[in-house]
Amino acid sequence: MRPSSLISSAVVLSTSTVVVGLSLHRPSISHTNSLTSPILRSNTALRLGDRDDISDYGKQRTNSELDSLISKRDAIKKNIVANTKPDDDTPPIDEMSDDDIAKMLSDEADVDKLFSKDYVPTFDTKRGPSRTGLSSGESGGVLDGEEEDDPERALFVDWTEDYDDENEFHIPNRIGFTTAEWGDKKKGFVAGKLKKNERKAGKFNKSDLKKAYEKLQQNGVSFVETSESSSFAEAFLNKFINEIEHGDRPLVASTFANPWKHAIKTKSLPRRGSKAVIDAAEACCDRMGVSSMSLFQVKNPYFYIGGTSALAEGMLDVISDDHSRYVGCINMSTSKLAKLQRQLRAQGEFVATNQFDFSLTNRKSLAMIEACKKMNITPVCTNVLDGGLASGKYTSVNPTGGEVSKGEGDTGPYSVRTLEKLDTLFKVQDSLREKVNSRIGDRLSKFDAGKAPKINREITTTQIAINYVKAKGAVPLVPVNNVKMANEVLGCLGWDLTEEEVLELDKACKTCGV
């Protein structure tokens, strides 16, 4: 189903709530409370035999072994609950009963291996219904009038569950966020505590990243993209994945860096052959503390020692070795993409995604979006705000975007000439902001009191730019470094631009020469 205006046919408020239509999004909502699931509520009681015939020493040994097994079970759950490979009908571990887990452990043939230090079992699951997190967000993903047993329980709402123009790799709400700026001092990262003037200047620290990650994961945005080039980002994800309760299973993607740039950075020989791809994927899993990723991407190396066949073989091995459920590409040309897709299809797998830059003010890759669709590859777009230019925040009459001036002569990040060229586009963006706000208000007013979904009613020009990328059929990846930007992303959920609104933006882009 192609997204059109606001939200689909149904919003599920409780088991007794009437389903009311609003537009063309139908959300998938789950009410499971992870805090009260059996696995988190109590320990498994495993009976090893008749304890009446056991000596005091034997009973102590039995208790010790029970405690060890229980501890091991809890550790296993913690390590793999966030990233289980979706493949068969086995439920995720946090949805399994204590008896099921006990049986799973007792079925292991190699008892010595079971209790070894590095033992981690594998779980194969299909993507199931969304699950809930801990607390509700401030925008997007939470319903008004929700009947809750626990006031701290949040709802993970997937407004795009029923889209049919995607492959097997489903990205909830067709939006994600990237860690590209995490740990980068040039982008504003500060290792310690932030001072007031640093925060005003847009700088961020680890605490900001954790809060933003938690906000997104609990309220509808579970797809997060990183790269082996950023060891800081992978280390942060390692902690966040294990410390934060998620609204749904996080979809973690990492990247096989360009082998030539990697060689220069590490002062080593260029990586080559299929084994280099496998080793890189395994190392990414280790750094992030997960048993398997959702997506492993390969950057276009332009020339790879071993050729496209070696890359394809490596990508297939990454899947077969369970380092990642799906594989994708970054900046691959149409011809290379088609060749890789043929090679993977011949082995029963496929290229799930191709990532490249695209935004309202940089539409050079528009043809690539269409090419990806024809090959059943999901286009994933980065730099969706074009460094801030596409946000509509900076205009010829407001070149600093309302930010505090950096000093005399500060005219903002863009030249007045550049901004004047895009005046027509920015005016259309702003008018659509008001139009969408009005449209959302009109449609929500038709709901009974307390039954309207909680959707952002203060649309920004930034959100218009992000949802333009979605309207073109791509998945936008937005850089998020703080809660403010996380809320900006969540404010994009539950509504879409109409075809007429997209055409208005297209026309304005052409007028401005974009």
Side-chain angles (χ1 to χ4, degrees):
M1 181 188 73
R2 183 176 180 85
S4 178
S5 56
L6 184 60
I7 46 181
S8 179
S9 58
V11 176
V12 182
L13 299 177
S14 72
T15 54
S16 61
T17 301
V18 176
V19 176
V20 184
L22 185 59
S23 182
L24 291 179
H25 267 311
R26 184 170 70 239
S28 170
I29 308 171
S30 172
H31 272 272
T32 307
N33 189 346
S34 59
L35 286 177
T36 58
S37 63
I39 191 169
L40 297 179
R41 187 173 58 246
S42 62
N43 289 327
T44 305
L46 300 179
R47 186 171 179 79
L48 300 183
D50 192 347
R51 290 167 52 90
D52 294 335
D53 297 330
I54 303 177
S55 65
D56 290 340
Y57 173 74
K59 290 178 181 179
Q60 291 175 2
R61 284 289 304 274
T62 300
N63 289 335
S64 176
E65 290 173 0
L66 276 171
D67 291 341
S68 175
L69 182 58
I70 290 168
S71 176
K72 190 69 181 180
R73 191 284 311 273
D74 290 342
I76 291 170
K77 184 264 172 185
K78 182 178 179 181
N79 284 332
I80 68 172
V81 66
N83 286 268
T84 56
K85 179 179 176 181
D87 230 6
D88 63 23
D89 293 325
T90 305
I93 191 169
D94 60 340
E95 293 182 359
M96 294 171 67
S97 68
D98 290 345
D99 290 338
D100 288 336
I101 295 172
K103 183 178 184 302
M104 178 272 294
L105 292 176
S106 65
D107 285 345
E108 293 289 346
D110 189 347
V111 178
D112 291 333
K113 181 181 178 183
L114 171 64
F115 287 98
S116 68
K117 180 180 178 182
D118 297 323
Y119 173 76
V120 177
T122 57
F123 292 85
D124 297 332
T125 66
K126 284 186 178 179
R127 174 170 59 85
S130 301
R131 300 187 297 278
T132 63
L134 288 175
S135 59
S136 61
E138 294 173 7
S139 65
V142 183
L143 305 184
D144 292 336
E146 158 71 4
E147 295 180 10
E148 295 185 348
D149 298 325
D150 183 351
E152 292 189 349
R153 182 174 55 181
L155 286 174
F156 185 102
V157 183
D158 183 5
W159 301 94
T160 60
E161 179 73 16
D162 59 350
Y163 272 46
D164 57 10
D165 61 335
E166 62 181 8
N167 53 43
E168 185 184 318
F169 180 44
H170 175 73
I171 299 174
N173 289 307
R174 294 173 76 103
I175 193 169
F177 62 105
T178 175
T179 67
E181 299 177 357
W182 290 17
D184 190 343
K185 293 182 179 180
K186 294 180 181 179
K187 298 295 185 180
F189 177 75
V190 176
K193 211 169 184 179
L194 285 175
K195 298 176 181 178
K196 284 186 178 180
N197 62 327
E198 289 178 324
R199 194 168 289 284
K200 284 183 178 179
K203 295 185 182 295
F204 58 96
N205 60 13
K206 180 183 174 181
S207 177
D208 293 316
L209 297 177
K210 184 176 181 178
K211 289 176 183 177
Y213 176 89
E214 182 176 31
K215 186 84 166 177
L216 291 167
Q217 288 288 348
Q218 291 182 359
N219 290 282
V221 182
S222 60
F223 181 46
V224 53
E225 186 257 8
T226 189
S227 172
E228 64 169 345
S229 300
S230 178
S231 56
F232 275 112
E234 288 187 328
F236 287 151
L237 282 176
N238 186 327
K239 291 185 68 67
F240 300 166
I241 288 171
N242 286 290
E243 293 176 358
I244 291 170
E245 290 290 341
H246 295 70
D248 195 28
R249 178 173 56 84
L251 303 182
V252 182
S254 195
T255 307
F256 178 71
N258 182 296
W260 306 102
K261 291 182 180 180
H262 181 269
I264 294 172
K265 184 177 180 179
T266 59
K267 297 180 181 178
S268 61
L269 291 173
R271 294 189 291 193
R272 57 199 180 277
S274 61
K275 190 174 185 302
V277 181
I278 306 166
D279 291 344
E282 184 176 8
C284 285
C285 288
D286 290 342
R287 285 190 295 271
M288 291 188 290
V290 299
S291 59
S292 179
M293 295 172 284
S294 299
L295 178 70
F296 189 62
Q297 305 167 114
V298 174
K299 268 192 175 181
N300 185 0
Y302 300 102
F303 172 75
Y304 188 70
I305 301 174
T308 306
S309 297
L311 284 178
E313 184 180 344
M315 293 165 81
L316 287 167
D317 287 340
V318 164
I319 296 174
S320 63
D321 290 354
D322 204 16
H323 297 317
S324 180
R325 178 61 191 92
Y326 302 103
V327 290
C329 299
I330 296 180
N331 291 327
M332 286 286 184
S333 65
T334 304
S335 57
K336 277 189 178 179
L337 207 55
K339 188 174 182 180
L340 274 172
Q341 187 70 307
R342 283 197 300 272
Q343 290 173 319
L344 265 64
R345 285 286 186 192
Q347 300 300 319
E349 293 295 345
F350 62 97
V351 177
T353 63
N354 186 36
Q355 183 187 131
F356 49 89
D357 285 359
F358 179 80
S359 70
L360 189 57
T361 52
N362 177 16
R363 307 194 311 154
K364 295 176 182 177
S365 298
L366 193 56
M368 178 56 78
I369 293 178
E370 295 304 318
C372 286
K373 287 181 180 180
K374 290 178 181 178
M375 289 185 276
N376 199 25
I377 295 172
T378 300
V380 176
C381 293
T382 48
N383 200 17
V384 294
L385 296 177
D386 199 9
L389 183 61
S391 68
K393 179 180 178 181
Y394 307 98
T395 65
S396 59
V397 296
N398 185 19
T400 62
E403 297 174 352
V404 178
S405 175
K406 297 178 182 178
E408 187 177 349
D410 178 28
T411 59
Y414 305 101
S415 69
V416 175
R417 183 177 179 181
T418 297
L419 297 174
E420 285 178 342
K421 178 185 175 183
L422 297 171
D423 268 345
T424 301
L425 175 58
F426 294 149
K427 287 176 182 177
V428 171
Q429 255 181 288
D430 194 52
S431 68
L432 288 181
R433 175 188 62 80
E434 296 178 356
K435 186 177 179 180
V436 172
N437 274 326
S438 177
R439 173 156 54 84
I440 291 175
D442 289 344
R443 292 186 181 269
L444 291 181
S445 66
K446 297 178 182 179
F447 280 81
D448 294 335
K451 301 301 182 183
K454 186 177 180 182
I455 295 174
N456 177 27
R457 297 184 65 174
E458 296 181 0
I459 306 301
T460 65
T461 51
T462 294
Q463 291 160 353
I464 294 292
I466 293 172
N467 274 9
Y468 175 80
V469 177
K470 287 176 65 178
K472 287 298 181 181
V475 173
L477 275 182
V478 188
V480 175
N481 303 326
N482 53 50
V483 172
K484 181 180 178 181
M485 194 60 205
N487 281 329
E488 193 83 66
V489 173
L490 291 174
C492 295
L493 307 188
W495 63 274
D496 281 313
L497 295 168
T498 64
E499 291 185 9
E500 293 76 12
E501 290 162 351
V502 173
L503 287 173
E504 279 188 66
L505 289 168
D506 286 340
K507 185 178 179 180
C509 286
K510 291 177 181 178
T511 300
C512 296
V514 176

